[in-house]
């Protein structure tokens, strides 16, 4: 029987080709993901290790705010790391040197004034030259390091992007106006924030301290030990030498490297899990193709299998024979997929560091034994699992079936069982979706969507006849006899049609669901931006850090400005001794801290839409609080409640809830008058953003005036309503495009399934095609019949996928209702129609080769075929 299995695989190489390709692509996705993430993790760890090669012990000051302005919390008090501390540490017996480090953010503008880098990783630091005049952390590429307040050094990549050469004047800013500094040199760095798309600006130490902390203060001390020094002993000595305080922390370089390795491992694990999820989708699609292929092969070998039963083969032997074929196919495809996956990982690495300029660290490909084993096991397991039902069906062929080569029809009992199971799954899935949508539980929606998909897949044979029948009148009218035959062929074997269409349905379902969710989010954000924000422009930092407190004052003086309100968030302590209701009792949730957003009570109603649900619209002007409906529900606050608070400066006071507002995306949960909160904010408390209303509305003249008022800082963004909407849409589009790309593999596999089914179907119907040719249907008609059949199957899969995708997206949107105001389900008609057209095109393209083969079939040879 095993020799028979091998002979059958060799005899049906062409028919098994598409199955091999499907398994190979899915396995390649798995192998490529594992190799790429292992390679990336290894390269990142190697790069990280270089950052700690000359660091034995690090002392950090967690109270040092290295980004200019804080959010109004209590700045850590107590001892700090100073130059005297650095000298004391450097003089320890086991220490060779101690380097003081200062860091923060620094935006670099190109020669047109635009920000270089991604905004979130615009790194600024101090250049600490050693005895040879260079900083070992940042090897020089060209020139020298900065020495005075008027000089700066940049990483070579940023300098190249900005078109800067040594000696040029560079425009750089932190929170305030742009500084124009002379570029003295370019550097190399292993800092992951920089290599992943950020920028590095190095100042002399005094300038960096002035910009980020205060003169003479460091955020970190990096201690280099003497050769042979014990790092544990040096750590103990350093702890004794530095000031004692909760904000001062000391660790060995080895501990820091281990922490970094753990973070890298977690990050690559998350990436690997996400990619493997899409690989799983591709393999799941492949299951339909494999099952379909073996089902058709079994049907074509009905006489052969029945004869084997007649001469003494048992059912187990027949089953094992078919499974042995699947095992051989799985091993071959998995081995090819493993090789393809290694090539895919190598290609992706080159692509990211080449045309896509991702600047990932280089390193050798890592092909772990676990990757090889996992790839082979997954490929073989999927193939054998998919072939199990056809193998079981083959074992049930009765010996009497040797008298006929016709495929054995499904029994009425099996159809009833199948449809009952499908109906149960569909009902359970629909109930899960409804329950998840109602309770806004993402997991419940996911389980419901999975059950519904399974149920619909099981019911697909039942659905295929009526849905495909809808196209019959149109096909007969347009194409006559070929159209009628195509329809009859498509519904002749509902199980086969269902399995072929289901592979395409999965991809269309997911793509449709993502598209509908994306369109719904865009609509919700656009509507919220338009309805909640009256301001013509918002001014905020690109990296979401704090604006300088004087920015609002400078903006108010800009020409064309009619109203301004700065918004800054400060924490107040509440609790048993703090927040109390109107009756003096502690609040229901017992929270210790609430964040208040201070605004200008006199102008905020001109800059944001304030809809009062309960209380007075003039509450802010009366010195009272505005509380959003969501926050009121969470905390139990109501109009008239008196909240006892302790402000950041330690002063105790009380605030009264004056109104509960409808949800507003431009306002925070609790809004307070600046006149009440401002006097208690700590010095240096930064601004979240500034809202601006123009005399003549939004125009380029006002926008430029605001840029000028902020000193042309490339890190400060001036955005109008159109800018905010475009930015949100760009983010959603980027996520969708990435998802589409990852789902593309499953669509490719689905196309292979259609090609495979049509090719094998043509082989099965050789005699029928020959008879059609003999009674007058020409080659054009035969080819058209095959193409239309493929078109019907693809459209059937597309229609079912679009319907399922919209239902799943509706439930998913309901879970997002708390995150997006007035979230509704938006079905973009053009894109949905595009998916159906794409499904039709897929069907037509997949049928080109089978149709050509059918049309060129020899009439007499086809009629004589068995």
């Amino acid at each position: 029987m095993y020799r028979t299995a091998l002979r059958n695989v060799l005899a049906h190489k062409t028919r098994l080709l598409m199955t091999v390709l499907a398994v190979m692509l899915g396995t390649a996705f798995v192998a490529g993901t594992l190799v790429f993430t292992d390679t990336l993790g290894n390269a990142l760890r190697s790069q990280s290790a270089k950052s700690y090669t000359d660091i034995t012990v690090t002392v950090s000051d967690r109270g040092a705010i290295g980004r200019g302005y804080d959010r109004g919390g209590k700045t850590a008090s107590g001892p700090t790391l100073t130059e005297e501390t650095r000298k004391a540490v450097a003089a320890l017996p086991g220490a060779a040197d101690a380097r003081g480090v200062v860091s923060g953010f620094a935006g670099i503008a190109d020669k047109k004034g635009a920000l270089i880098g991604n905004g979130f990783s615009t790194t600024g630091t101090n250049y600490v030259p050693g005895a040879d005049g260079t900083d070992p952390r940042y090897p020089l590429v060209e020139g020298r390091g900065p020495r005075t307040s008027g000089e700066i050094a940049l990483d070579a990549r940023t300098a190249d992007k900005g078109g800067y050469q040594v000696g040029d004047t560079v425009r750089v800013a932190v929170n305030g106006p742009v500084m124009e500094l002379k570029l003295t040199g370019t550097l190399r760095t292993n800092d992951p924030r920089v290599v992943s798309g950020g920028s590095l600006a190095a100042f002399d130490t005094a300038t960096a301290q002035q910009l980020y902390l205060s003169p003479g203060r460091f955020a970190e001390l990096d201690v280099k030990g003497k050769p042979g020094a014990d790092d544990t002993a040096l750590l103990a000595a350093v702890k004794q030498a530095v000031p004692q305080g909760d904000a001062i922390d000391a660790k060995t370089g080895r501990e820091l490297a281990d922490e970094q390795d753990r973070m890298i491992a977690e990050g690559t694990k998350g990436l690997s899990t996400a990619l493997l999820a899409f690989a799983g989708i591709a393999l799941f699609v492949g299951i339909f193709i494999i099952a379909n292929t073996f089902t058709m092969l079994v049907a074509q070998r009905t006489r052969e299998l029945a004869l084997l039963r007649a001469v003494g083969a048992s059912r187990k032997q027949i089953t094992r024979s078919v499974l042995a074929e699947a095992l051989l196919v799985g091993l071959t495809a998995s081995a090819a997929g493993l090789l393809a996956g290694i090539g895919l990982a190598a290609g992706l690495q080159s692509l990211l560091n080449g045309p896509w300029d991702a600047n990932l660290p280089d390193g050798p490909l890592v092909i772990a034994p676990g990757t090889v084993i996992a790839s082979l096991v997954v490929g073989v397991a999927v193939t054998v699992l998919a072939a199990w039902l056809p193998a079981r069906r083959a074992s049930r062929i009765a010996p009497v079936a040797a008298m006929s080569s016709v495929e054995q029809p499904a029994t009425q009992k099996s159809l009833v069982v199948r449809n009952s199971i499908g109906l149960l799954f569909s009902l359970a899935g629909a109930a899960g979706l409804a329950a998840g949508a109602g309770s806004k539980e993402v997991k419940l929606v996911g389980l419901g969507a999975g059950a519904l998909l399974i149920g619909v897949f099981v019911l697909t044979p039942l659905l295929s006849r009526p849905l495909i029948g809808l196209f019959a009148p149109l096909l007969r009218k347009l194409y006559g006899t070929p159209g009628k035959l195509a329809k009859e062929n498509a519904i002749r074997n509902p199980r086969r049609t269902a399995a072929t269409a289901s592979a395409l349905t999965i991809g269309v379902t997911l793509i449709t669901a993502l598209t509908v969710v994306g369109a719904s989010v865009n609509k919700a954000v656009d509507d919220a931006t338009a309805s909640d924000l009256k301001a013509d422009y918002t001014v905020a930092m690109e990296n979401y850090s704090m604006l300088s407190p004087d920015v609002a004052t400078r903006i108010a003086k800009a020409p064309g400005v009619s109203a301004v309100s700065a918004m800054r968030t400060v924490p107040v302590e509440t609790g048993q001794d703090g927040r109390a209701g109107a009756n003096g009792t502690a609040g229901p949730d017992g929270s210790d801290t609430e964040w208040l957003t201070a605004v200008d009570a006199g102008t905020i109603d001109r800059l944001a839409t304030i809809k009062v649900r309960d209380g007075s619209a003039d509450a802010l002007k009366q010195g009272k609080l505005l509380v959003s409906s969501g926050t009121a529900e969470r905390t139990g606050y109501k109009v008239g409640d008196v909240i006892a608070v302790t402000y950041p400066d330690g002063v105790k006071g009380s605030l009264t809830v004056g109104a509960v507002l409808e949800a507003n995306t431009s306002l925070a949960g609790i809004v307070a008058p600046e006149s009440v909160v401002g006097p208690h904010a700590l010095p240096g408390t930064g601004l979240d953003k500034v809202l601006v209303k123009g005399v003549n509305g939004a125009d380029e003249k006002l926008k430029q005036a605001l840029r000028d008022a902020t000193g042309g800082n490339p890190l400060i963004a001036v955005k109008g309503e159109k800018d905010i909407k475009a930015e949100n849409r760009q983010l959603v589009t980027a996520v969708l495009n990435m998802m589409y790309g990852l789902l593309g593999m499953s669509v490719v596999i689905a196309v292979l399934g259609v090609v495979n089914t049509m090719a094998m179907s043509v082989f099965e119907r050789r005699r029928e095609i020959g008879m059609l040719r003999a009674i007058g249907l020409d080659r054009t008609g035969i080819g058209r019949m095959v193409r239309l059949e493929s078109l019907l199957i693809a459209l059937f899969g597309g229609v079912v996928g679009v319907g399922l995708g919209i239902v799943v997206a509706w439930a998913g949107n309901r879970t997002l209702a708390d995150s997006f105001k007035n979230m509704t389900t938006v079905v973009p008609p053009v894109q949905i129609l595009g998916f159906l057209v794409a499904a039709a095109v897929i069907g037509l393209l997949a049928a080109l080769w089978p149709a050509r083969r059918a049309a060129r079939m020899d009439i007499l040879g086809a009629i004589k075929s068995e």
Side-chain angles (χ1 to χ4, degrees):
M1 293 302 295
Y2 291 119
R3 287 198 298 269
T4 301
L6 178 60
R7 185 173 63 251
N8 283 326
V9 170
L10 296 176
H12 300 122
K13 294 188 294 292
T14 304
R15 293 182 231 175
L16 290 169
L17 177 61
M18 297 301 172
T19 299
V20 171
L21 286 175
V23 179
M24 185 193 76
L25 289 175
T27 307
F29 204 154
V30 173
T33 296
L34 295 175
V35 172
F36 176 72
T37 52
D38 285 347
T39 299
L40 178 62
N42 182 66
L44 288 172
R45 285 190 294 272
S46 297
Q47 182 188 69
S48 175
K50 294 177 182 178
S51 302
Y52 299 104
T53 52
D54 64 339
I55 298 177
T56 307
V57 174
T58 289
V59 184
S60 58
D61 179 1
R62 294 193 300 270
I65 301 171
R67 295 213 176 243
Y69 302 95
D70 67 12
R71 287 189 174 272
K74 291 186 177 181
T75 304
S77 58
T80 59
L81 301 177
T82 63
E83 177 63 18
E84 289 72 20
T85 307
R86 188 196 69 79
K87 291 179 178 178
V89 171
L92 292 173
D97 189 21
R99 177 174 55 232
V101 177
V102 182
S103 62
F105 64 80
I108 311 299
D110 61 19
K111 293 187 177 180
K112 295 181 180 180
L115 178 68
I116 301 175
N118 56 25
F120 296 98
S121 301
T122 52
T123 306
T125 189
N126 60 322
Y127 189 83
V128 187
D132 60 353
T134 64
D135 189 330
R137 298 174 299 166
Y138 308 118
L140 286 167
V141 176
E142 186 180 2
R144 60 171 177 81
R147 297 171 182 167
T148 67
S149 60
E151 297 179 341
I152 192 174
L154 301 177
D155 67 283
R157 183 166 170 266
T158 298
D160 183 62
K161 281 187 173 182
Y164 291 119
Q165 302 289 332
V166 173
D168 288 350
T169 298
V170 177
R171 303 179 72 242
V172 58
V174 179
N175 285 83
V178 169
M179 301 176 288
E180 295 190 347
L181 307 175
K182 181 181 178 181
L183 182 64
T184 63
T186 56
L187 317 165
R188 290 197 305 271
T189 177
N190 292 319
D191 190 330
R193 294 173 298 176
V194 180
V195 299
S196 62
S199 61
L200 175 68
F203 307 92
D204 67 285
T205 297
T207 300
Q209 290 174 329
Q210 185 66 40
L211 288 173
Y212 299 123
L213 294 173
S214 57
R217 186 178 178 185
F218 297 107
E220 184 179 297
L221 297 179
D222 293 337
V223 185
K224 182 179 181 180
K226 292 179 179 179
D230 180 70
D231 55 359
T232 304
L234 182 57
L235 174 63
V238 167
K239 286 183 176 180
Q240 293 296 322
V242 300
Q244 303 300 305
D246 293 339
I248 306 298
D249 187 31
K251 294 181 179 180
T252 65
R254 186 184 306 166
E255 290 175 329
L256 291 174
D258 290 342
E259 287 180 5
Q260 192 71 19
D261 286 349
R262 283 194 294 271
M263 292 174 62
I264 291 171
E266 290 174 2
T268 54
K269 182 181 179 181
L271 174 63
S272 177
T273 301
L275 292 176
L276 287 175
F278 287 93
I281 293 172
L283 287 168
F284 184 63
V285 171
I287 287 176
F288 290 93
I289 298 174
I290 299 164
N292 218 16
T293 300
F294 279 93
T295 297
M296 296 177 77
L297 287 175
V298 167
Q300 292 168 13
R301 289 159 46 200
T302 298
R303 177 173 294 180
E304 174 190 333
L305 295 173
L307 285 172
L308 288 173
R309 288 293 312 282
V311 297
S314 66
R315 286 187 174 184
K316 288 185 178 180
Q317 287 178 310
I318 297 294
T319 302
R320 290 170 183 170
S321 174
V322 177
L323 291 179
E325 294 178 42
L327 179 63
L328 290 172
V329 171
L331 278 173
T332 303
S334 300
L338 175 61
L339 296 176
I342 294 171
L344 182 66
L348 182 59
Q349 186 182 32
S350 300
L351 191 64
L352 288 171
N353 284 332
W356 291 358
D357 195 27
N359 276 307
L360 295 176
D362 290 324
L365 284 178
V366 178
I367 306 171
T371 297
V372 176
I373 295 172
S375 301
L376 295 177
V377 168
V378 166
V380 171
V382 166
T383 308
V384 173
L385 176 65
W388 181 76
L389 279 177
R392 189 167 176 265
R393 194 175 298 127
S395 70
R396 294 186 175 184
I397 296 176
V400 72
M403 301 298 296
S404 172
S405 61
V406 179
E407 181 178 358
Q408 301 300 300
T411 64
Q412 185 66 29
K413 179 180 178 182
S414 69
L415 291 176
V416 170
V417 171
R418 178 185 182 121
N419 292 337
S420 299
I421 293 173
L423 184 61
L424 288 175
F425 268 98
S426 298
L427 291 175
L433 282 178
S439 60
K440 300 176 183 178
E441 286 288 340
V442 177
K443 290 182 179 179
L444 191 55
V445 167
L447 291 173
L452 181 61
L453 284 172
I454 293 172
V456 171
F457 290 158
V458 176
L459 288 175
T460 304
L462 183 65
L463 300 174
S464 61
R465 186 178 294 272
L467 288 179
I468 291 177
L470 294 175
F471 298 98
L474 180 62
L475 291 177
R476 281 198 301 269
K477 184 177 180 180
L478 293 178
Y479 301 106
T481 299
K484 181 180 179 181
L485 291 172
K487 178 254 183 182
E488 293 298 329
N489 288 333
I491 63 176
R492 178 188 299 180
N493 191 326
R495 285 187 173 183
R496 181 183 304 170
T497 298
T500 306
S502 295
L504 186 60
T505 296
I506 297 170
V508 176
T509 297
L510 295 174
I511 290 173
T512 299
L514 288 171
T515 302
V516 172
V517 170
S520 303
V521 169
N522 279 333
K523 180 68 164 52
V525 173
D526 285 353
D527 289 348
T529 302
S531 64
D532 294 347
L533 191 65
K534 293 182 179 179
D536 294 318
Y537 290 103
T538 63
V539 181
M541 297 291 286
E542 285 277 15
N543 56 4
Y544 298 101
S545 60
M546 297 292 97
L547 284 165
S548 170
D550 65 346
V551 167
T553 304
R554 288 189 270 124
I555 287 175
K557 296 177 181 178
V561 173
S562 64
V564 171
S565 177
M567 301 180 73
R568 61 172 166 179
T569 305
V570 295
V572 293
E573 293 182 4
T574 63
Q576 292 182 352
D577 296 325
R579 183 169 59 80
N583 58 3
T585 59
D589 71 343
S591 59
D592 294 324
T593 302
E594 291 288 355
W595 291 85
L596 308 182
T597 297
V599 300
D600 188 327
T603 61
I604 190 62
D605 58 345
R606 298 172 58 190
L607 300 163
T609 302
I610 297 178
K611 294 183 179 180
V612 176
R613 176 180 291 184
D614 185 23
S616 171
D618 294 326
L620 280 179
K621 295 177 182 178
Q622 299 167 4
K624 298 179 181 179
L625 300 179
L626 303 180
V627 179
S628 71
S629 55
T631 301
E633 182 179 345
R634 173 179 62 84
T635 61
Y637 291 153
K638 58 184 181 296
V639 174
D641 279 359
V642 177
I643 307 170
V645 299
T646 301
Y647 292 106
D649 61 357
V651 175
K652 296 183 181 295
S654 63
L655 295 169
T656 303
V657 177
V660 175
L661 303 180
E662 297 287 349
N664 187 306
T665 57
S666 64
L667 297 176
I670 304 178
V671 182
E674 170 66 23
S675 58
V676 174
V677 176
H680 302 291
L682 295 176
T685 301
L687 307 178
D688 296 317
K689 58 185 174 182
V690 179
L691 304 181
V692 184
K693 190 77 174 175
V695 175
N696 300 315
D699 56 33
E700 283 300 319
K701 185 177 180 181
L702 175 59
K703 195 172 187 178
Q704 187 58 50
L706 297 178
R707 289 197 186 104
D708 294 339
T710 57
N713 189 329
L715 274 173
I716 297 180
V718 180
K719 299 176 183 177
E721 181 180 321
K722 291 182 178 179
D723 301 318
I724 295 172
K725 289 181 178 179
E727 185 178 85
N728 291 329
R729 286 184 174 273
Q730 185 177 14
L731 177 61
V732 172
T733 300
V735 173
L736 288 178
N737 288 339
M738 181 181 68
M739 294 292 186
Y740 292 157
L742 292 172
L743 288 171
M745 185 70 76
S746 63
V747 175
V748 170
I749 294 175
V751 172
L752 293 177
V754 179
V755 174
N756 199 35
T757 298
M758 296 310 302
M760 296 183 73
S761 179
V762 166
F763 179 83
E764 274 187 347
R765 302 202 300 260
R766 296 190 309 279
R767 180 179 294 179
E768 176 186 322
I769 292 171
M771 292 296 295
L772 289 172
R773 288 292 314 281
I775 62 175
L777 191 61
D778 59 11
R779 287 184 174 182
T780 301
I782 293 294
R784 182 173 294 165
M785 176 188 71
V786 175
R787 288 192 296 271
L788 290 176
E789 180 184 351
S790 178
L791 172 66
L792 284 173
I793 293 173
L795 276 176
F796 171 57
V799 169
V800 174
V802 165
L804 285 173
I806 293 173
V807 172
V808 171
W810 167 81
N813 285 340
R814 295 289 298 165
T815 66
L816 298 174
D818 290 339
S819 301
F820 298 95
K821 180 183 176 183
N822 297 327
M823 184 76 166
T824 58
T825 298
V826 177
V827 181
V830 175
Q831 288 171 282
I832 296 301
L833 181 61
F835 296 152
L836 293 177
V837 171
V841 171
I842 286 172
L844 291 174
L845 292 177
L848 288 179
W849 175 58
R852 179 183 176 87
R853 182 182 178 188
R856 295 194 171 192
M857 195 174 292
D858 177 69
I859 298 176
L860 294 179
I863 292 174
K864 292 191 301 180
S865 64
E866 291 292 334

